[in-house]
Amino acid sequence: MAFDKKPWAEPYRIKVVEPLKTTTREHRLAAIRNAGWNTFLLHADDVYIDLLTDSGTNAMSDGQWSRMMVGDEAYAGSRSFYRLEEVCRKYYGYRYIMPTHQGRGAENLLSKCMIRPGQYVAGNMYFTTTRQHQELAGGTFVDVIIDEANNSFSDYPFKGNIDLGKYERLIHEKGAENIAYITVGAPVNMAGGQPVSMENMRAVSELSHRHGIKVVLDATRNIENAYFIQQREAGYADKSIEEINREFCSYSDAATVSAKKDLYVNIGGLVMCNDSELYDKLRSLVVVYEGMPTYGGLAGRDMEAMAEGLIEAVQDDMIASRVRQVEYFGNLLHEAGIPIVTPIGGHGVFLDAKRFYDHLPQNEFPAQKLAGDLYVESGVRGMERGIVSAGRNKQTGDHYYPELELVRLTVPRRVYTQAHFDVAAYYIIEMYNNRHNAHGLRMVYEPEFLRFFQARFEEI
Ligand code: F0G
């Protein structure tokens, strides 16, 4: 085989493996019916290749496992906390660092400290748990992402960007004092892992601060965002991921992080800020919901694994291999003509269910069904990111009807090989050729909060 360009490879080798189990189609059909056609409700033992999420499903390194042995389990003042604090200060740049049990723990604290009931919170698209906590704190979320984000086949390189015009209109309409803050998610999970440019982040920061509005970064996958800036934005090709990540964070006042992604761990979160007044509020609330500010719901060993994970995560070759594996999988599908969100995102490949099942209306949950059908045909588990995830408008009671109706095939870090993605792609291509046989679903059980996790469906 001849190469037209230099191939890449993972900057690690495999030391421990975990066997996978295959099942029959009949077994899987019974399993998905039993799970109410919700892939979240499957038993993981019935799954072959698990692309449900990249959250907490990462493989840790020998360095991380060995640091866990030296974790300090002191209730207060743990040495492991001070190490995590030092590493986070170095790579993110914020003054105050507080661990939480996971990302939504950080979102809960921050929303409670920063939102007065009745205020608005601007953001680039939404994330499910982030918006839920903003609403529970009495806020109303307003989406100010650029229009390109809602077009699954626009090739715009920074589809996560804030539309400055939309944002400015919101400020003028509602008054700056009625906007609690703006959340910038980078990259935007719900848009398909689409990045935010440095130029946009700088402009958002400038505009916000001119009006006295704080900028909160959802830095959950910020290192992936830094990689896209390095690859796509003029002036950044020669900068390291570490430098780019720090510059990006420097335009914000605070950040929440789900460490279960970028930091290569199975559990953990962070809330970080520069302002001592906000930190004082966070510190008084954290003991109610998470634990002491020096452990925030985590064991000392978890904080060690996070610190080590962050040091590994910002290495240029590590992040490059992570994103390139996602790209490899996406290209297999794209080249076969399967409708996916392009450009391919940082943490997964997103099937466009509106185009895949173009015969199903959105209120028959085409993405939910496609995720279920993919599981039945292949044992590959993905998740719905469409009308079910979007939930209901609390004013009107109707579903939100998001433009994007997607199935997310998320790539856990350092877990699967390219061959696993060949197999997944093979089944998806086969299903695409038989796609018009699919029927929709009706929802038969709907939980009040974050319904996508536990809703149940039946075939129509
Ligand atoms: N922000 C983003 C952008 C996320 O993707 C997540 C979690 C959170 C916040 C919340 O963090 O799960 O640690 O409480 N995303 C997972 C996912 C659930 O599968 O995308 P958490």
Side-chain angles (χ1 to χ4, degrees), residues 255-314:
T256 55
V257 176
S258 168
K260 300 171 74 172
K261 284 78 166 178
D262 265 356
L263 278 70
Y264 291 100
V265 287
N266 304 118
I267 195 72
L270 291 165
V271 55
M272 304 182 282
C273 65
N274 290 325
D275 168 20
S276 63
E277 234 174 272
L278 173 60
Y279 177 65
D280 283 344
K281 285 192 195 167
L282 289 166
R283 199 169 49 170
S284 79
L285 209 56
V286 72
V287 292
V288 180
Y289 290 98
E290 306 280 319
M292 286 292 282
T294 56
Y295 78 86
L298 295 172
R301 56 178 173 271
D302 297 328
M303 294 189 281
E304 292 286 346
M306 276 167 65
E308 196 62 29
L310 180 54
I311 294 168
E312 292 174 16
V314 296

Side-chain angles (χ1 to χ4, degrees), residues 146-149 151-162 194-197 199-200 232 341-344:
I146 57 170
D147 290 339
E148 285 86 344
N151 175 351
S152 64
F153 47 95
S154 151
D155 269 325
Y156 192 74
F158 290 102
K159 281 161 85 174
N161 280 356
I162 301 277
Q194 301 298 325
V196 175
S197 71
E199 185 189 15
N200 188 249
R232 296 179 186 171
V341 174
T342 54
I344 296 160

Side-chain angles (χ1 to χ4, degrees), residues 53 102-104 107 127 129 189 218 221 258 261 408:
T53 179
Q102 59 182 83
R104 68 199 72 178
E107 291 166 352
F127 185 70
T129 59
N189 190 350
D218 180 343
R221 297 183 184 82
S258 168
K261 284 78 166 178
R408 189 182 74 174

